[in-house]
């Protein structure tokens, strides 16, 4: 449940690079420029060179084998700096799906691409609330139909993976974005990130273009849970950065002739945030450690652990960002400070891969009550 | 009493004649009639209504007639308000001069100052801004640093004020400035009127997390101010300020109640965006309770206000109750905003994008904007300090 | 929404009497003595002389017409001093049922008794959670059968009113406690108060022994809602007393060379309690005022207002008692202080006439969601 | 390593022989073997087990053999603990002397003091109590006032100590006393051992909101104490105290984890007392979420402890984490107690009445008793102060 030397070094290297190349304020500029794109490709190329595409993959397929704790370390760094990257959408989600479902040929062909930084997008969500159990898209007679929302980095990805029903089974179809019958809209969210809505109308998909054969339901569930854990790591990186910035502000700002950080009510609120942050980190690190040590029952425990970690990370980031805004006083509500960027990012992360209502409900159902 | 009945009848008749239909609807922000050089009217009826009210002095109905005010007594003023409310008449003029400076000038200003400024405020010829907070002086307002030096025939002002609402459209600004840097904090502050068109005054808009805002930062760079623009005694400005602060806090709470949202109710929104059972109940029992809690708190707030009204009527006001209003109201508003955002789910993440509905857009913008409510006009932390010390009597 | 002169005077008279005759500490002695009884009859006789039996009744039946705000004023005083009395069970619950349901003869016979301080008991509850909609007791062919719990002051009452199903309708049966077929157990609760469990086995009840004729469902609901409001007033009296005692303690106790009441974190917690207390009081006073002014729709608004006021009062008393215990430090958890008496009383009041889960659920259902 | 394997084998064999079956079950409170004059054994096996352990010095396995301790090194001690845990062996002796005073005496005591007290502690002949807090000195322990005057050939002690656990059964008490009333707070405190049988010592039990308790108030009325019972230097008692306080806080958290509730789980209880749907889900969605939140927090706490264990193993301890444990654990415990009470409804209101089940009785008593957990051993407020200042570095 602690980072090893390589994982710590990965995080520190990323933090150094991002501090120079993409500090939190870069998100403001990215948001305010014309047009919209889900990530900065130049930055991604640099990050991919550091291995962000290859974190989880086996070495045979160009991976670096940082393990899931390594994924957590990387996402924590990205979260601290509010960096928009295709790590969750491509490295994690597409990578895990191909690794778990792909035929030997598919794995040998596609995984090295992901490892090298080629960007994939995975389309699952369809409604206004995350609910992967309710997939309406269909693949019948070689035709894909349906509408997807909240698709990460679809605007720039060269390969799409689309989750759809094929008869009684769930399948993951590999789709070329340039196929006819596809309409895509990419819009900016409140934090400056972009997601796409895609409709598929009789899009031709060959049988060989599905990942593996048989039902993909469990593998899709596992990949989504791992994406939820990656998002939780980003959220806790953001929360930690916010708490540090808030403590620094309180330690510096004077009113009534004293540092406002001496006021006990504010001290207790910060202390409470720290406790909640460490609890949420413990839930996350526990899940990542279990995944790495292979001691987790993928069919049952992973879902419960992921719901646990994501629910606590959601609440931690939402609460920390609210408190940070308030504790920064007037400055906190200006766009000049970075606090507002974290505030908005926290709400987007909150919805990605399930909000706390979803995860609490699932956690309880899995626990049988 | 006979006179008052007659006054009511006349007022009602006058309003029915002079307040045109378009001025009897809830006012939209862009249709508010502000004072000053950049005054504009969204239609002719608005101009007619404003001018008619202005000419009766009813932009400031209870100010003395000799300075252009309406000259009404307290009962007449109440009657006018009631009759305006009955017809849904819009406020005829928006201005910090009307709301805040006027009462202070009438109380503390010299005869010359009243004659110079009050009539122009009543007639909406000058738009006023307020210069209190500074980047280093927020909750601790008395630590303000904007320097005002006595240069014999004029004052010289240097410094900056923040959160100066609409200062970029203002003609004049009333400011708290430091005139004695050696005195104890509150003792070295004066209250000064400054012409925004003076050399050395500039403004910069403040962008909030919710986007563009009405707030500015205002800078004073060697601004010369005539000495007759000092209100009250030198170094006695804190008394004037405290008077005004009372009006500000009242204003803040009435402003936030003025922004009546004609949004979909939270229950309807939840039914639209989350599953419901055949009997109309929300399936998500936890969400259902969260909404219930919010509605209960909101209703209790309304009843708290009603209770204050009953107390006032019986002249038995418990002064501690009023101290709770701002904190309670702003905290609950933020809880509501968070709930609305959760209910919208992914649709509550958009920011001015084509696929967002107006209602969704409003919810998201309000969510961001309302974060300022627990800060502006006295932070929640200051409110809690006040409640603890003044309402409960805990030791300082 | 404010007490008039008579109501204020009633409260002040009660406070003076109780301060001398039954201060909070008296509850400790009452709890610790041998045996158990639901109230102190000597005290009740004194209170009845002040009119506690006659608060709500019309003057024609010996009532004093203090109105519902007067009831609130009285209950507030009782709550402040933790006085155990049959006010809610007899004056309010039995009084309202007889007033609303009784025939002219029944009203003329029974109401003056209540007004004079004769104690009645009303049996409604049957399960571990308040749920007046689920009545299992039956009255068939002149025989009453069923089991009741949480019956207030049944141990000492001379008359019982029992809510039971008669065919499709609900009725309220007047039962003499000495009738055969009745088994009663009276046990002490955590706060020192007592409630009874009663089983009725083929207890003979004549048709003339029911209050009025026709279905009593709405009247029972109204009486229970008014009892809930009376309990809420007791709860808020208790909360207010606790907050005052806590503020006094914090203003006196020194640690680290200063009054601990100067610590901002504690100040903010007290201020927050004050806000919640005043909100809950507003909800309660609003409901009582509406009842007095006749401006309430009994069939719909009363239930909603009662749920509103009781839920907020529940939460206020529970939270205030927890905070008061904590803020009193080590002394707060000793039985020497009165704080623990309030803490336990708060939990009993919390269940009487519905906890917040019940009332939130009902409030939402009434609001159509 | 060979030696340790051998030690393990021998220890295992010895325990299997000398720890009788009844001493291998979770210990009930009334079966705990306490030290001192009122020592008693609930059965013969308990006595045999205690005496066997005592004679090996394993009541204090890592204390030096010369004072009667077990003389084991750290690895051997660990092995003994592991083997005892493997067999579920009960602790052979309960005493504040074993837990707290012993280590301090070994570190700070004079040779004479060690020879006088340590062997008797090891052998369970003396029961010790702790005298730290006073009615006026709780969170601010250093403000303690119990007066200790130097009367030439003895000290004279006057004052009172509170929360002296089981002092009414103790033979001796270790106390913090004020020896220099003129010095700065911490600088005037000494650490003194007092025979409870001395003239002028008396105790009174403290009744808690949960009922009778193990706590007492202890009074000192002109108690004469020989001067050789001063531990460490005069006025240097605070250093000894700080050392001991560490043990106390560790003890508090291990004590609360020792009270393993074999209660019904909260989920089972909710299913028993509130409605469930055919699929086993709780019908009350709000209750279901509240339970979920509690279970999530509880699980996160377990993982926080596991994380600390991993950090310790890797010798990379983040000292800030440990500061959070007490506050987090006690707050969550209280939330759980409140939830259990709510679930029980009316059945959660009873207090030792015939119709209450044991489980219900335990829930209600725990609810009341656990209110003390956020106070004893450092209040939650003090814990939050510590986190704010030491973990986060906020200014003092």
């Amino acid at each position: 449940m602690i980072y090893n030397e390589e994982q710590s070094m990965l995080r520190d290297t990323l933090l150094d690079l991002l501090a120079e190349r993409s500090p939190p304020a870069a998100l403001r500029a990215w948001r305010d420029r014309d047009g919209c794109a889900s990530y900065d490709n130049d930055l991604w190329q640099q990050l991919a060179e550091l291995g962000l595409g290859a974190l989880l993959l086996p070495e045979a397929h160009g991976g670096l084998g940082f393990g899931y704790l390594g994924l957590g370390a990387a996402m924590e760094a990205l979260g601290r700096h509010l960096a928009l990257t295709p790590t969750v959408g491509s490295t994690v989600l597409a990578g895990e799906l191909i690794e778990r479902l792909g035929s030997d040929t598919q794995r040998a062909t596609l995984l090295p691409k992901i490892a090298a930084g080629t960007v994939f997008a995975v389309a699952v969500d369809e409604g206004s609330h995350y609910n992967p159990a309710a997939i309406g898209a269909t693949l019948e007679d070689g035709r894909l139909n349906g509408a997807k929302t909240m698709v990460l980095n679809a605007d720039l990805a060269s390969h799409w993976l689309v989750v759809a029903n094929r008869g009684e089974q769930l399948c993951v179809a590999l789709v070329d974005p340039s196929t006819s019958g596809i309409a895509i809209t990419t819009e900016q969210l409140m934090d400056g990130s972009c997601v796409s809505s895609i409709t598929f109308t009789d899009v031709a998909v060959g049988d060989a273009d599905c990942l593996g054969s048989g039902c993909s339901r469990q593998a899709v569930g596992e990949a989504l849970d791992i994406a939820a854990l990656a998002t939780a790591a980003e959220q806790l990186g953001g929360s930690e950065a916010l708490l540090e910035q808030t403590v620094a502000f309180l330690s510096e700002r004077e009113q009534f002739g004293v540092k406002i950080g001496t006021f006990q009510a504010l001290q207790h609120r910060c202390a409470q945030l720290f406790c909640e942050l460490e609890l949420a980190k413990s839930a996350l690190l526990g899940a990542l450690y279990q995944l790495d040590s292979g001691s987790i029952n993928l069919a049952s425990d992973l879902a419960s652990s992921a719901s646990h970690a994501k629910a606590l990370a959601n609440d931690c980031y939402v609460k920390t960002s609210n408190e940070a805004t308030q504790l920064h006083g007037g400055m906190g509500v200006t766009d000049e400070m970075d606090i507002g960027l974290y505030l908005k990012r926290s709400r987007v992360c909150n919805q990605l891969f399930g909000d706390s209502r979803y995860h609490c409900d699932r956690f309880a159902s899995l626990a049988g009550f | 009493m006979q006179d008052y009945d007659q006054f009511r009848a006349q007022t009602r008749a006058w309003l029915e004649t002079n307040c045109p239909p378009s001025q009897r609807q809830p006012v939209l922000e862009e249709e508010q009639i502000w004072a000053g050089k950049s005054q504009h009217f969204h239609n002719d009826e608005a101009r007619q209504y404003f001018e008619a009210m202005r000419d009766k002095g009813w932009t400031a109905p209870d100010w003395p007639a000799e300075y252009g005010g309406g000259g009404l007594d307290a009962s007449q003023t109440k009657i006018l308000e009631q009759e305006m409310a009955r017809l849904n008449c819009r406020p005829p003029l928006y201005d910090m001069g009307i709301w805040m400076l006027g009462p202070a000038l009438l109380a503390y200003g010299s005869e010359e100052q009243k004659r110079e400024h009050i009539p122009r405020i009543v007639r909406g010829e000058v738009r006023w801004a307020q210069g209190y907070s500074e980047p280093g002086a927020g909750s601790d307002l008395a630590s303000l640093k904007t320097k005002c030096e006595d240069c014999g025939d004029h004052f010289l002002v240097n410094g900056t004020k923040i959160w100066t609402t609409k200062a970029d459209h203002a003609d004049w600004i009333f400011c708290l400035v430091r005139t004695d840097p050696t005195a104890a904090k509150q003792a070295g502050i004066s209250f000064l009127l400054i012409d925004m068109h003076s050399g050395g005054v500039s403004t910069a808009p403040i962008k909030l997390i919710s986007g563009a805002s009405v707030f500015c930062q205002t800078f004073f760079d060697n601004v010369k101010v005539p000495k007759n623009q000092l209100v009250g005694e030198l170094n006695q400005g804190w008394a004037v300020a405290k008077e005004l602060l009372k009006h500000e806090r009242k204003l803040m709470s009435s402003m936030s109640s003025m922004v009546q949202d004609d949004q979909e109710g939270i229950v309807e929104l939840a039914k639209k965006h989350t599953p419901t059972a055949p009997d109309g109940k929300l399936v998500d029992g936890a969400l259902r309770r969260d909404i219930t809690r919010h509605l209960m708190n909101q209703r209790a707030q309304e009843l708290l206000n009603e209770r204050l009204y009953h107390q006032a009527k019986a002249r038995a006001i418990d002064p501690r109750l009023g101290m709770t209003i701002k904190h309670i109201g702003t905290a609950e508003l933020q809880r509501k905003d968070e709930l609305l955002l959760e209910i919208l789910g992914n649709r509550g993440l958009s920011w001015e994008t084509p696929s967002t509905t107006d209602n969704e857009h409003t919810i998201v913008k309000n969510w961001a904007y309302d974060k300022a409510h627990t800060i502006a006009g006295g932070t929640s932390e200051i409110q809690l300090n006040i409640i603890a010390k003044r309402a409960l009597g805990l030791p300082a």
Side-chain angles (χ1 to χ4, degrees), chain A, chain B:
Chain A
M1 295 177 70
I2 53 174
Y3 298 149
N4 64 26
E5 213 168 312
E6 292 75 35
Q7 291 158 347
S8 298
M9 203 183 298
L10 171 67
R11 185 194 53 188
D12 295 344
T13 308
L14 277 170
L15 287 174
D16 289 346
L17 175 78
L18 292 169
E20 191 195 318
R21 185 61 183 74
S22 178
L27 181 57
R28 187 183 296 108
W30 184 256
R31 175 196 73 190
D32 292 342
R33 84 201 193 301
D34 287 334
C36 91
S38 56
Y39 60 92
D40 176 344
N41 196 47
D42 292 344
L43 174 66
W44 175 242
Q45 291 311 322
Q46 277 185 276
L47 294 172
E49 271 169 41
L50 284 180
L52 274 204
L55 288 173
L56 295 170
L57 299 177
E59 293 180 25
H61 292 126
L64 296 171
F66 273 108
Y68 292 102
L69 278 165
L71 170 66
M75 291 306 302
E76 179 192 326
L78 296 172
R80 289 186 72 96
H81 283 286
L82 296 174
L84 301 178
T85 70
T87 312
V88 174
S90 185
T91 312
V92 178
L93 211 42
E96 290 286 332
L97 283 174
I98 297 165
E99 172 70 21
R100 282 159 202 270
L101 291 169
S103 64
D104 287 349
T105 317
Q106 286 168 330
R107 296 169 76 242
T109 318
L110 301 175
L111 291 179
K113 290 190 185 179
I114 290 184
T118 302
V119 172
F120 284 54
V122 177
V124 187
D125 277 12
E126 301 185 355
S128 70
H129 290 74
Y130 176 77
N131 186 4
I135 299 290
T138 55
L139 179 58
E140 278 170 23
D141 306 325
R143 298 284 153 181
L144 177 65
N145 281 286
K148 297 289 182 180
T149 63
M150 292 294 282
V151 189
L152 299 178
N153 43 264
D155 53 334
L156 299 178
S158 54
H159 303 67
W160 290 354
L161 295 172
V162 183
V163 177
N165 291 301
R166 184 173 51 187
E168 301 288 285
Q169 299 191 323
L170 210 62
C171 73
V172 180
L174 196 59
V175 176
D176 179 336
S178 63
T179 318
S180 70
I182 290 176
I184 175 169
T185 321
T186 300
E187 287 184 341
Q188 203 168 45
L189 301 180
M190 60 161 75
D191 64 340
S193 72
C194 287
V195 292
S196 301
S197 298
I198 313 176
T199 55
F200 299 91
T201 314
D202 285 334
V203 173
V205 174
D207 262 3
D209 296 335
C210 284
L211 290 184
S213 53
C215 186
S216 309
R217 194 171 301 279
Q218 195 191 326
V220 169
E222 289 166 19
L224 288 168
D225 281 336
I226 292 165
L229 290 172
T231 305
E234 178 187 342
Q235 292 173 298
L236 297 182
S239 301
E240 196 162 52
L242 271 176
L243 181 55
E244 286 171 13
Q245 287 166 32
T246 303
V247 166
F249 178 81
L250 295 178
S251 302
E252 196 180 90
R253 169 90 173 167
E254 286 191 16
Q255 291 280 275
F256 308 106
V258 295
K259 309 284 185 203
I260 62 175
T262 59
F263 292 131
Q264 195 197 32
L266 311 190
Q267 291 191 344
H268 281 197
R269 283 159 68 176
C270 289
Q272 190 61 41
L273 292 177
F274 181 72
C275 291
E276 290 171 32
L277 173 63
E278 293 303 331
L279 279 176
K281 270 164 76 172
S282 303
L284 172 66
L285 291 169
L288 297 175
Y289 173 77
Q290 277 187 304
L291 275 168
D292 278 334
S293 65
S295 66
I296 200 164
N297 181 326
L298 288 177
S300 61
D301 297 348
L302 174 59
S304 182
S305 293
S307 280
H308 184 215
K310 183 63 165 56
L312 294 186
N314 282 341
D315 300 346
C316 179
Y317 205 8
V318 165
K319 179 170 176 184
T320 305
S321 60
N322 280 343
E323 285 284 76
T325 305
Q326 178 68 21
L327 292 174
H328 274 78
M331 290 310 294
V333 294
T334 66
D335 190 49
E336 202 180 313
M337 298 284 286
D338 294 341
I339 304 300
L341 302 175
Y342 285 94
L343 181 74
K344 292 169 185 167
R345 182 72 192 146
S346 75
R347 296 322 198 264
V348 173
C349 290
N350 198 51
Q351 295 298 329
L352 291 176
F353 307 104
D355 63 10
S356 293
R357 295 187 187 283
Y358 173 84
H359 284 294
C360 284
D361 177 64
R362 190 170 72 147
F363 185 93
S365 296
L366 290 167
F369 71 96
Chain B
M1 289 304 273
Q2 193 53 41
D3 286 353
Y4 288 133
D5 288 349
Q6 193 183 344
F7 177 76
R8 186 182 293 276
Q10 288 170 343
T11 301
R12 183 176 298 190
W14 188 91
L15 285 171
E16 278 171 356
T17 309
N18 290 283
C19 185
S22 72
Q23 303 305 301
R24 296 190 194 179
Q25 285 151 19
V27 64
L28 301 174
E29 200 176 331
E30 59 271 25
E31 298 186 357
Q32 292 170 351
I33 302 168
W34 285 81
K37 65 173 194 285
S38 44
Q39 189 173 41
H40 79 280
F41 303 94
H42 67 103
N43 65 17
D44 283 346
E45 290 187 348
R47 177 188 297 276
Q48 287 158 24
Y49 174 57
F50 164 71
E51 288 175 352
M53 291 290 279
R54 175 195 69 190
D55 293 344
K56 282 188 88 74
W58 284 2
T59 49
D62 59 346
W63 296 5
E66 57 174 316
Y67 305 118
L72 304 188
D73 67 22
S75 301
Q76 290 170 323
T77 306
K78 185 84 196 158
I79 289 168
L80 173 60
E81 282 168 9
Q82 288 168 341
E83 292 303 318
M84 286 179 68
R86 208 180 58 83
L87 287 184
N88 268 324
C89 301
R90 292 178 172 182
L93 183 60
Y94 287 73
D95 180 38
M96 300 286 266
I98 293 280
W99 296 322
M100 300 182 63
L101 179 63
L105 270 187
L106 287 169
Y108 289 91
S110 66
E111 187 56 29
E112 180 200 346
Q113 287 167 340
K114 292 183 201 171
R115 300 222 167 269
E116 178 186 358
H117 294 292
I118 302 279
R120 293 200 287 163
I121 292 173
V122 174
R123 298 186 62 80
E125 291 166 6
V126 173
R127 192 195 292 193
W128 283 89
Q130 181 198 59
Y132 274 22
S133 298
E134 297 179 5
S139 292
D140 182 17
L141 181 58
S143 70
L144 59 90
K145 292 199 168 59
T146 294
K147 193 165 65 176
C148 175
E149 292 163 287
D150 188 336
C151 296
D153 63 339
H154 64 272
F155 292 118
L156 193 68
V157 177
N158 277 287
T160 181
K161 292 289 177 181
I162 201 167
W163 309 117
T164 47
T165 309
K166 299 194 188 230
D168 46 350
H169 293 99
D171 302 300
W172 280 73
I173 186 167
F174 51 93
C175 284
L176 289 177
V177 292
R178 182 153 308 280
T179 37
D180 184 353
T182 63
K185 281 159 73 171
Q186 281 88 345
I189 291 172
S190 299
F191 192 95
L192 194 63
L193 311 179
I194 304 177
D195 186 337
M196 291 288 284
H197 308 291
S198 315
V201 178
S202 62
T203 65
I206 296 175
K207 192 173 172 191
L208 293 183
I209 54 176
S210 48
S213 81
V214 297
F215 301 108
C216 294
Q217 185 164 0
T218 300
F219 302 90
F220 302 96
D221 182 17
N222 285 320
V223 177
K224 287 187 186 175
V225 179
K227 296 188 93 166
N228 63 357
Q229 300 302 348
L230 176 76
V231 179
E233 301 286 306
L234 192 72
N235 296 326
Q236 302 292 318
W238 192 248
V240 189
K242 267 171 66 180
E243 180 67 25
L244 278 185
L245 271 180
K246 276 189 217 158
H247 292 275
E248 184 182 29
R249 280 176 191 160
K250 255 185 259 169
L251 181 69
M252 290 295 300
S253 65
S254 70
M255 290 270 271
S256 61
S257 72
M258 266 162 53
V259 185
Q260 255 315 340
D261 49 313
D262 48 1
Q263 279 172 241
E264 253 179 313
I266 191 167
V267 168
E268 286 63 46
L269 203 77
K271 287 189 177 184
K272 189 150 111 190
H273 289 275
T274 78
T276 52
D279 61 0
K281 284 190 193 173
L282 298 178
V283 170
D284 182 338
L287 174 62
R288 183 167 173 259
R289 187 179 56 179
D290 291 344
I291 294 174
T292 303
R293 289 283 183 198
H294 161 65
L295 293 176
M296 282 184 165
N297 287 339
Q298 197 178 48
R299 174 95 185 104
Q301 272 179 68
E302 290 161 14
L303 288 166
L304 178 58
N305 279 316
E306 218 174 297
R307 206 171 133 211
L308 276 168
Y309 167 75
H310 282 258
Q311 289 185 350
K313 238 177 32 181
R315 295 175 193 280
I317 286 190
D318 178 350
R320 304 175 308 161
L321 287 195
M323 299 178 197
T324 67
I325 300 273
K326 178 169 189 282
H327 166 57
I328 288 175
T330 53
E332 194 57 39
L333 180 63
Q334 290 181 351
R335 269 193 291 274
K336 178 187 179 181
D337 289 335
E338 295 288 352
L339 259 180
L340 289 170
L341 212 63
E342 278 189 62
I343 290 167
L344 287 184
N346 295 337
R347 298 197 61 83
L349 301 178
S350 295
W351 198 257
E352 304 180 5
T353 50
S355 66
T356 321
T357 67
D358 279 354
N359 189 34
E360 287 163 358
H361 178 70
T362 305
I363 288 171
V364 176
K365 285 278 174 160
N366 281 353
W367 165 79
Y369 184 73
D370 293 347
K371 297 290 178 206
H373 283 330
T374 46
I375 295 165
T379 64
S380 295
E381 290 73 22
I382 294 286
Q383 306 300 323
L384 289 168
N385 286 348
I386 290 172
I387 295 167
K389 290 181 189 125
R390 292 200 222 146
L392 297 176
L394 281 163

